[in-house]
Amino acid sequence: MEIRKITIAGAGTMGYSMAEIFARKGYDVILWNHRSATLERAKTKIAPDMVNHISYTTDPAAFRGRDLIVENIVEDLAAKSDFYKTYSPLADEQTIIATNTSGLSINTLAKSVKGPERFLGMHWFNPPTLIPLIEIIKNDHTRDEVAKTIYDLALSIGKKPAIVEKDAPGFAANRIQLAVIREALSMVKKGIISKEGIDAVMKYGLGFRWACLGPLETADFGGLDVFAHISEYLMPDLEDSHEVPSLLAEKVKEGHLGVKTGEGFYRYDGDKAARATRERDRKLKALYDALYK
């Protein structure tokens, strides 16, 4: 299945970033949004050398005659379901349809898609221009060749795809991420380590190593007998709550949501947010260049 013509539905940060990435690799890209003002704003965010290589429209005709449609609208189950009920019947039968949801059930969304066998998740990570991973999530009816086509497409734009064979809440990356955050916040709350300390442990130890070796590769190098022995005494002591971590819930209740509000676990008042974002992107770019260029 060859992909050349791509429509991105939704012109927010992820949508216009995807459009730019695909256009830069020579794909025929349409960026669709139901509001023209959002499209105009997207044009100001796309790199100047690429902005004229993308078509912009509010016309539903953007969903006809395409090889791939990637939906990237608001992260809301009802809104996405309505989108698929309205627009998936417009797509040609052979058109692959993908959603960039970060955690909504692919099986549930598939119920609203005409032709669920050509539907799957294509989960990009923010910032999409710098994070190489794309999760490809099958629903119970996704054809294998559809998943393989999107896997190959991700490789063609320089990404590092991983196929999630079964739909599960949070897919793979967010399940791992939330398990780490749960244990990290538990240790901070118990006074075992400070928030600065826990971030140092991840950045300079686990995260540094995991950028090169996954957790299972790490276990192989460390010795599975060693990891089994550690598991015997450590697993019973690890946090296993099924509730939102209390430190996280308290921050949300106080309106401290992180960089976007100027305070989260750390403060980002004044120009700290912009500086922190630039520094994050600089480090991600340096890491990507070191490992993959």
Side-chain angles (χ1 to χ4, degrees), residues 1 66-67 91-96 118 143:
M1 303 174 72
R66 311 303 286 175
D67 301 316
D92 299 348
E93 289 185 3
Q94 70 273 18
T95 300
I96 295 175
R118 43 94 173 256
R143 298 197 310 270

Side-chain angles (χ1 to χ4, degrees), residues 103-107 137-138 164 166-172 175:
L104 295 176
S105 169
I106 306 303
N107 278 327
I137 309 100
K138 296 179 180 179
V164 181
K166 294 183 179 180
D167 182 30
F171 314 140
R175 292 178 76 92

Side-chain angles (χ1 to χ4, degrees), residues 109-125:
L109 289 174
K111 296 175 183 178
S112 299
V113 178
K114 182 180 180 182
E117 69 282 352
R118 43 94 173 256
F119 175 70
L120 76 179
M122 188 182 189
H123 179 207
W124 299 55
F125 291 76

Side-chain angles (χ1 to χ4, degrees), residues 16 18 23 54 83 90 95 118 120 127 156 172 174 194 199 233 238 288:
Y16 68 70
M18 289 180 205
I54 299 167
F83 171 88
L90 302 182
T95 300
R118 43 94 173 256
L120 76 179
S156 79
N174 275 328
S194 68
D199 282 339
Y233 67 81
L238 293 178
Y288 184 91

Side-chain angles (χ1 to χ4, degrees), residues 14-136:
M14 298 299 288
Y16 68 70
S17 297
M18 289 180 205
E20 179 180 330
I21 291 167
F22 281 124
R24 193 172 292 282
K25 293 295 184 178
Y27 290 93
D28 175 346
V29 181
I30 295 174
L31 183 58
W32 176 92
N33 201 85
H34 68 291
R35 292 191 181 95
S36 57
T38 305
L39 291 171
E40 292 304 313
R41 185 164 59 251
K43 292 177 185 179
T44 69
K45 303 293 185 179
I46 294 170
D49 65 327
M50 281 291 110
V51 69
N52 293 326
H53 291 264
I54 299 167
S55 298
Y56 307 85
T57 187
T58 59
D59 190 340
F63 301 112
R64 297 188 177 98
R66 311 303 286 175
D67 301 316
L68 171 66
I69 296 167
V70 184
E71 171 271 312
N72 189 61
I73 69 170
V74 62
E75 188 74 348
D76 177 81
L77 181 61
K80 288 183 183 292
S81 296
D82 287 345
F83 171 88
Y84 290 118
K85 289 174 183 176
T86 301
Y87 296 111
S88 67
L90 302 182
D92 299 348
E93 289 185 3
Q94 70 273 18
T95 300
I96 295 175
I97 302 176
T99 177
N100 182 40
T101 179
S102 58
L104 295 176
S105 169
I106 306 303
N107 278 327
T108 300
L109 289 174
K111 296 175 183 178
S112 299
V113 178
K114 182 180 180 182
E117 69 282 352
R118 43 94 173 256
F119 175 70
L120 76 179
M122 188 182 189
H123 179 207
W124 299 55
F125 291 76
N126 193 31
T129 52
L130 295 173
I131 303 295
L133 176 64
I134 291 180
E135 286 183 305
I136 298 165

Side-chain angles (χ1 to χ4, degrees), residues 222-271:
L224 300 188
D225 54 333
V226 174
F227 276 80
H229 175 65
I230 295 172
S231 295
E232 288 178 356
Y233 67 81
L234 191 53
M235 288 298 180
D237 197 56
L238 293 178
E239 180 61 62
D240 63 356
S241 171
H242 290 182
E243 305 296 326
V244 176
S246 59
L247 292 181
L248 178 59
E250 289 166 10
K251 289 292 184 182
V252 172
K253 185 177 180 179
E254 294 166 355
H256 300 320
L257 308 182
V259 173
K260 62 185 176 182
T261 61
E263 183 175 348
F265 291 110
Y266 298 92
R267 295 186 62 88
Y268 304 94
D269 49 319
D271 66 345

